[in-house]
Amino acid sequence: MKILITGGAGFIGSFLVNRLADSKHDIVVVDDLSRGKFDNIDKIKKVSFIKSDICDTVVMDKLIKKNDVVFHLAALARVMPSIDDPELTFHSNINGTEIVARLCSKYEKKLIFTSSREIYGEPLTLPVAEDASYSARNPYSASKIASEKIIESYSFSYHLNYTIIRLTNVYGANDYERVIPLFINAMNNNKKIYLYGKKKLIDFVYIDDVVDSLIKIMNSDIENEVFNIGSGKGYSLMDLINLLDKIIKPSKTDIHIESERTGEIQRFIADISKAKKILGWSPKTSLENGLKKTVKWYDHIC
């Protein structure tokens, strides 16, 4: 197949590109490199790279027309940057998704979209299934809700073939500015660790398991479905620190507890039973084993 990956130079995208590069597929990556890095994919053979904003309709029209499957991963991700710059978040995430969905409809291409557990807001009960209600607690979650509804509307009106995955907290090598790389960096350099709130409960899912789910979807006949992709388990930030303490063995772990930050979800665990049943997917990597692999990678680059 001919495969287009938006945001393919980013964290999740570059892992997907690496995995697909081992196949016989033709792969095209489009990325504006605002967060992604060309170094993530420049040594991968059989990959074409286009530097462009996904909101450039002329470029996207040409790319989507000549590809069979579109993985739409490009987004301004993470909660706090969306609060700092909601206008950019809505431009990139909502306008970009509308263009991709419209063109996939026009040319009858399969669309696989990465959404977020953020769309559920602060859930009343755990774990959270796909039919739970939406709640926009920050601009990022609002942009993902809008994106899902845009895709759904194009499916009803123009028969767009789509699959959406709602990711929990993805982690692994080559990531930065999220909680796990921040904690690893702090421990490796004997710096303070800041916890924003005492009651956070997070569902962490390893990057290889996420890529497995994306490839299963690509190779399946599933249409117009939404899946939670996570570990199905919840860990507190102290659980995370204790696991990293065992792996890194820092000389000290200096923890500072701060007030909760506006817009952040405090407790979330995904119900992944639908993905197990319909998609035949389940996570293979425990948090401890995933952290060991991640720490080893950070040790390698330091």
Side-chain angles (χ1 to χ4, degrees):
M1 287 187 291
K2 295 181 178 179
I3 301 168
L4 175 64
I5 304 174
T6 74
F11 170 42
I12 297 173
S14 60
F15 272 84
L16 178 62
V17 171
N18 270 279
R19 186 82 65 85
L20 290 173
D22 293 332
S23 67
K24 296 180 180 180
H25 303 302
D26 295 325
I27 304 164
V28 178
V29 168
V30 58
D31 199 306
D32 66 3
L33 301 182
S34 59
R35 181 169 171 84
K37 297 178 180 179
F38 182 65
D39 289 349
N40 291 342
I41 59 170
D42 69 331
K43 295 180 182 178
I44 305 173
K45 296 179 181 179
K46 301 188 301 180
V47 175
S48 301
F49 176 75
I50 309 294
K51 183 179 179 182
S52 176
D53 185 341
I54 59 168
C55 293
D56 187 326
T57 307
V58 174
V59 171
M60 296 306 297
D61 189 289
K62 292 177 181 178
L63 291 175
I64 290 175
K65 183 178 182 179
K66 64 184 180 181
N67 283 279
D68 303 310
V69 177
V70 178
F71 286 96
H72 180 33
L73 313 182
L76 189 136
R78 299 181 299 128
V79 170
M80 301 316 295
S82 81
I83 292 174
D84 293 336
D85 196 342
E87 183 178 359
L88 179 59
T89 300
F90 293 142
H91 171 74
S92 298
N93 297 5
I94 298 176
N95 293 352
T97 299
E98 190 280 325
I99 290 167
V100 171
R102 171 163 31 102
L103 294 173
C104 284
S105 300
K106 177 181 177 181
Y107 295 115
E108 299 181 348
K109 306 300 183 179
K110 182 174 183 176
L111 173 61
I112 302 169
F113 174 63
T114 50
S115 187
S116 170
R117 57 101 177 182
E118 288 286 337
I119 70 158
Y120 297 114
E122 197 70 62
L124 298 176
T125 59
L126 298 175
V128 181
E130 288 85 352
D131 59 359
S133 61
Y134 296 162
S135 178
R137 299 291 293 270
N138 51 69
Y140 175 65
S141 61
S143 74
K144 287 297 186 180
I145 292 170
S147 294
E148 286 197 21
K149 288 303 180 183
I150 288 167
I151 291 168
E152 184 181 320
S153 73
Y154 274 104
S155 177
F156 278 112
S157 298
Y158 309 107
H159 310 292
L160 171 64
N161 172 2
Y162 73 87
T163 304
I164 294 170
I165 63 170
R166 294 172 180 161
L167 297 171
T168 60
N169 289 59
V170 186
Y171 72 100
N174 216 19
D175 191 21
Y176 61 100
E177 292 181 354
R178 291 186 178 88
V179 62
I180 287 177
L182 288 174
F183 281 12
I184 291 173
N185 179 66
M187 288 186 176
N188 278 335
N189 295 283
N190 292 317
K191 294 181 179 179
K192 297 176 182 177
I193 291 178
Y194 293 92
L195 305 187
Y196 295 95
K198 297 180 180 179
K199 298 180 180 179
K200 273 195 174 65
L201 193 67
I202 300 175
D203 184 329
F204 293 102
V205 61
Y206 189 59
I207 182 63
D208 286 350
D209 291 326
V210 172
V211 172
D212 286 345
S213 74
L214 290 168
I215 292 175
K216 274 187 172 291
I217 291 168
M218 182 187 73
N219 292 328
S220 76
D221 295 325
I222 293 168
E223 293 187 18
N224 306 344
E225 289 282 3
V226 179
F227 298 101
N228 287 335
I229 298 297
S231 68
K233 300 178 181 179
Y235 295 88
S236 70
L237 291 178
M238 282 308 305
D239 292 333
L240 176 61
I241 288 170
N242 290 335
L243 284 171
L244 288 172
D245 265 329
K246 287 169 55 179
I247 298 165
I248 297 174
K249 296 181 175 60
S251 59
K252 64 177 181 177
T253 302
D254 193 1
I255 301 169
H256 288 251
I257 298 176
E258 304 286 340
S259 300
E260 297 174 5
R261 295 189 291 193
T262 300
E264 288 192 331
I265 307 305
Q266 297 304 306
R267 296 171 61 81
F268 187 87
I269 301 173
D271 181 342
I272 57 174
S273 58
K274 182 179 177 182
K276 288 180 177 180
K277 181 179 180 180
I278 297 177
L279 190 56
W281 172 90
S282 59
K284 300 174 183 176
T285 311
S286 68
L287 180 57
E288 183 169 1
N289 287 337
L291 289 174
K292 287 178 180 177
K293 294 177 183 179
T294 305
V295 169
K296 185 177 181 180
W297 181 85
Y298 278 97
D299 288 344
H300 172 71
I301 65 167
C302 291

